[in-house]
Amino acid sequence: MPRAVIYARFSSDMQREESIDAQVRACTAYAKSKGYEIVDTYIDEAKSGREVTKRDAYKKMLDDASHKKFDIVIFHKIDRNSRNEVDYYITKAKFLNLGIRYEYAVQSIDSSPEGQMMEGMLVAIAAYYSRNLAKETKKGLNENAYKVQFNGGTPPLGYKIVDKHYVIDNDEAEAIRLIFDLFIARHSYKDICCILAAKGYTTRNGQPFSKKSLYDIIGNERYCGTYTFNKIPKGKGKRNSHSKNRPDDFIRLEDAIPAIVSKDVFQQAQARRRINKERPAEYKAKVNYLLRGKIICGHCGSAMGGHTCTPRDKSYSYYSCLDKERIPTKKCLQKQIRKEDAEEAVITKIKNEILNSEAFSVIADKMRKKFANTKNSIDKKIADKQNQLTKAQKTRANLYKLVEKGIDDDFTFSKIKAAKETIDTLQAVIQTLKKSKKSKILSDAEIQKAFQLFNDKVKSMNDVEAKKLLIDLFLDKVIIIDQKLDIHLSTDAISNIIQK
């Protein structure tokens, strides 16, 4: 009995959850009439039909298909599958390559030339509907914008929406004015966050202000009364992108909404932002933070990042908790640690525990044992793949017999193609496993020689490059609690170094 799955979807375009029940009911009745066994049902709720890659259930169905869990996918109609021609045919090709076919509960589409033509027409109609709906929606949003009406989303802090129009929220607006005044008065983002917290101001969701939230507020020209819409094409970057990225239908209306700060105050703030961006090069000097991505705050679990300060023309570099840095009022107890202290402690441990002959002999012994176990494991994998290959070859032979008997439809040929691909893949895997099994176990002298060559390479590099190589190869992570370092090393890279 052929194994079938049902896929159902509803989007936000005038559909409700109840439409899922109707789709599943129709697909179930269709499967019963065909004598199919339903093995699973995939449902995406409130998901667009334009991009299958953004649908969780659809992605799960593709993954299950790769594991040969079913033979047929049943949709209610083509538009429940996809409303994008490229997505439709790419995913259909993936399914066909796996020997899986599409069927539709209420649309008669077969493999005949007429059926394929009908399928192409229905796919095009579904795509047209989606694009036209988006066009009409965009047209309505543009009209709202010209009327200076709220177009959805979350209004900026300091405003509330009344009858689709922006109205100043006086309590929140006080925080906005204070942010601009403090920034123009040359207070740092960190100082502004602390002052706002001391006065009891928070973001709209009740969280402390972060440096990023301040940056976004200071750059938002709505606060001086300018209304904008369509600043950049959808999905093409940040909302405050440079004007060169703006689409043709970008809308900008001066003095269109109530201003919380004057244009003069807003321009002063922008001038200071430009000064910050154009600071002298010495403030932007490149510092190699070698532990970046591997150093963790032991107090709150956040990543730690590099931070450089330059008082009196001398630079000092530290690692500090990024969560605490991002939100200055966050009550993380972590203290900064000097960059040099942290990195030297890690390098010293690597040299003491890995890069010395005594430690290395222990590692080499473990490697030999691991190599022997790996060979046994490879033997088992080869036997397993060989069994799979025998089954795939038998399946292909049976399919050829069907063709000889006159059963030569598209489904049979797709199954033959899938079986051939499986055979080719298994044969390649078996050859790779056999080659890896031929690798010889190195002698102590060969291991020692490889180890010495690696040490010579490290010594020939400049100090920063050598340290970076050692950290990248052997450091798993380092957890910092105040000035105490918990360093976790990994010797997995040793095998690759020696084999080379």
Side-chain angles (χ1 to χ4, degrees):
M1 180 182 293
R3 299 166 302 162
V5 296
I6 294 170
Y7 177 83
R9 174 187 66 83
F10 82 90
S11 59
S12 57
D13 52 344
M14 304 302 289
Q15 293 174 335
R16 299 175 299 169
E17 292 184 31
E18 287 82 350
S19 70
I20 292 289
D21 296 334
Q23 291 175 52
V24 172
R25 187 162 48 250
C27 291
T28 301
Y30 173 84
K32 185 177 180 180
S33 70
K34 292 285 188 177
Y36 299 156
E37 175 193 5
I38 297 175
V39 295
D40 211 341
T41 299
Y42 303 90
I43 295 172
D44 276 312
E45 299 182 352
K47 297 290 184 180
S48 168
R50 297 181 69 179
E51 296 181 72
V52 299
T53 55
K54 293 185 178 180
R55 297 189 233 155
D56 294 334
Y58 205 106
K59 288 189 287 186
K60 177 67 166 58
M61 181 171 68
L62 277 169
D63 183 60
D64 288 348
S66 67
H67 293 91
K68 308 293 178 67
K69 293 185 177 180
F70 53 87
D71 310 303
I72 302 161
V73 184
I74 304 174
F75 301 90
H76 184 242
K77 293 181 180 179
I78 276 180
D79 63 359
R80 298 302 88 196
N81 182 351
S82 177
R83 284 180 170 172
N84 177 294
E85 304 98 317
V86 175
D87 271 356
Y88 182 89
Y89 288 111
I90 286 177
T91 52
K92 182 180 179 181
K94 288 179 181 177
F95 279 116
L96 286 175
N97 286 335
L98 293 167
I100 298 169
R101 67 180 184 270
Y102 287 171
E103 293 189 13
Y104 296 95
V106 297
Q107 290 173 326
S108 298
I109 298 173
D110 54 35
S111 59
S112 67
E114 295 80 11
Q116 296 303 296
M117 181 179 71
M118 177 63 70
E119 180 182 26
M121 291 172 61
L122 291 172
V123 170
I125 291 169
Y128 166 78
Y129 173 85
S130 178
R131 294 187 184 113
N132 188 59
L133 179 65
K135 178 183 175 183
E136 293 302 314
T137 301
K138 186 69 175 295
K139 188 189 299 183
L141 293 174
N142 285 350
E143 285 303 311
N144 289 345
Y146 283 117
K147 296 174 185 176
V148 198
Q149 292 183 347
F150 180 61
N151 254 331
T154 303
L157 187 72
Y159 290 103
K160 56 187 176 182
I161 305 303
V162 178
D163 295 330
K164 297 185 179 180
H165 288 86
Y166 287 83
V167 176
I168 293 177
D169 182 312
N170 292 321
D171 292 335
E172 293 180 353
E174 287 301 316
I176 300 299
R177 294 187 186 101
L178 180 60
I179 289 168
F180 275 91
D181 290 344
L182 291 171
F183 186 69
I184 291 170
R186 304 187 65 79
H187 285 274
S188 68
Y189 286 137
K190 181 177 180 180
D191 289 344
I192 297 172
C193 287
C194 293
I195 292 170
L196 291 168
K199 290 181 175 291
Y201 290 119
T202 65
T203 62
R204 184 164 286 149
N205 60 7
Q207 298 298 312
F209 283 90
S210 67
K211 293 180 180 180
K212 184 182 183 305
S213 61
L214 293 183
Y215 184 85
D216 291 343
I217 286 170
I218 292 165
N220 191 339
E221 58 186 337
R222 274 184 169 83
Y223 290 120
C224 68
T226 301
Y227 178 93
T228 60
F229 184 64
N230 291 335
K231 256 191 174 178
I232 58 170
K234 184 178 179 182
K236 296 292 183 181
K238 298 180 180 178
R239 294 186 64 82
N240 292 324
S241 291
H242 193 272
S243 59
K244 69 181 180 182
N245 294 323
R246 291 174 184 168
D248 294 337
D249 57 354
F250 168 62
I251 297 170
R252 187 174 187 276
L253 304 173
E254 299 264 1
D255 303 316
I257 61 176
I260 293 177
V261 300
S262 68
K263 279 188 167 53
D264 180 58
V265 166
F266 185 79
Q267 291 306 324
Q268 288 182 57
Q270 305 321 299
R272 192 184 165 208
R273 286 220 304 187
R274 286 192 293 272
I275 291 171
N276 288 348
K277 285 185 178 181
E278 297 163 5
R279 288 180 299 178
E282 60 263 23
Y283 290 96
K284 298 182 179 180
K286 176 75 173 174
V287 178
N288 285 302
Y289 291 97
L290 304 180
L291 302 179
R292 180 176 288 156
K294 296 189 175 187
I295 184 167
I296 300 167
C297 172
H299 283 288
C300 70
S302 170
M304 295 182 70
H307 173 72
T308 299
C309 58
T310 314
R312 300 176 185 174
D313 299 326
K314 186 173 181 180
S315 293
Y316 299 90
S317 297
Y318 302 88
Y319 286 103
S320 56
C321 173
L322 288 179
D323 240 18
K324 186 176 182 179
E325 181 72 17
R326 186 176 62 85
I327 306 175
T329 55
K330 187 177 177 69
K331 301 187 185 304
C332 179
L333 300 175
Q334 187 63 267
K335 298 176 182 178
Q336 290 181 330
I337 184 169
R338 288 181 69 243
K339 171 183 179 295
E340 293 80 5
D341 293 345
E343 292 173 358
E344 282 304 321
V346 171
I347 293 296
T348 299
K349 183 157 185 172
I350 290 173
K351 289 179 176 178
N352 290 341
E353 295 193 8
I354 296 177
L355 300 184
N356 68 72
S357 56
E358 183 179 340
F360 193 78
S361 64
V362 175
I363 294 170
D365 186 53
K366 289 180 179 178
M367 279 182 53
R368 282 189 290 271
K369 291 177 181 176
K370 184 178 179 181
F371 189 83
N373 291 334
T374 300
K375 283 208 166 186
N376 292 333
S377 174
I378 289 173
D379 286 334
K380 291 179 181 178
K381 287 181 180 177
I382 290 174
D384 178 57
K385 296 300 177 185
Q386 193 64 56
N387 287 335
Q388 292 180 36
L389 177 61
T390 301
K391 290 179 181 178
Q393 290 171 332
K394 188 179 292 185
T395 297
R396 184 177 63 177
N398 290 335
L399 289 167
Y400 282 150
K401 289 177 182 177
L402 290 177
V403 174
E404 290 171 359
K405 291 178 180 179
I407 303 175
D408 56 354
D409 55 20
D410 289 347
F411 181 67
T412 303
F413 284 120
S414 68
K415 282 283 191 181
I416 292 173
K417 183 179 178 182
K420 183 181 182 304
E421 289 175 352
T422 300
I423 290 168
D424 291 343
T425 300
L426 287 169
Q427 287 174 335
V429 170
I430 290 170
Q431 288 303 314
T432 301
L433 289 170
K434 287 181 177 179
K435 285 180 182 178
S436 64
K437 187 183 174 184
K438 291 178 181 179
S439 301
K440 67 172 185 174
I441 300 177
L442 299 177
S443 67
D444 287 351
E446 289 171 320
I447 291 175
Q448 190 62 41
K449 182 180 177 181
F451 179 55
Q452 188 59 51
L453 287 171
F454 174 72
N455 269 338
D456 292 342
K457 178 182 178 181
V458 172
K459 290 175 182 176
S460 69
M461 302 169 73
N462 68 49
D463 189 52
V464 173
E465 286 181 340
K467 287 180 178 178
K468 187 175 189 313
L469 177 64
L470 294 177
I471 287 170
D472 287 347
L473 286 174
F474 302 120
L475 178 64
D476 181 26
K477 63 183 175 182
V478 53
I479 301 170
I480 309 288
I481 300 180
D482 300 327
Q483 302 298 308
K484 184 179 178 182
L485 285 74
D486 182 13
I487 301 169
H488 298 249
L489 301 181
S490 170
T491 59
D492 291 344
I494 288 285
S495 299
N496 294 330
I497 293 167
I498 292 173
Q499 293 296 335
K500 290 178 182 178

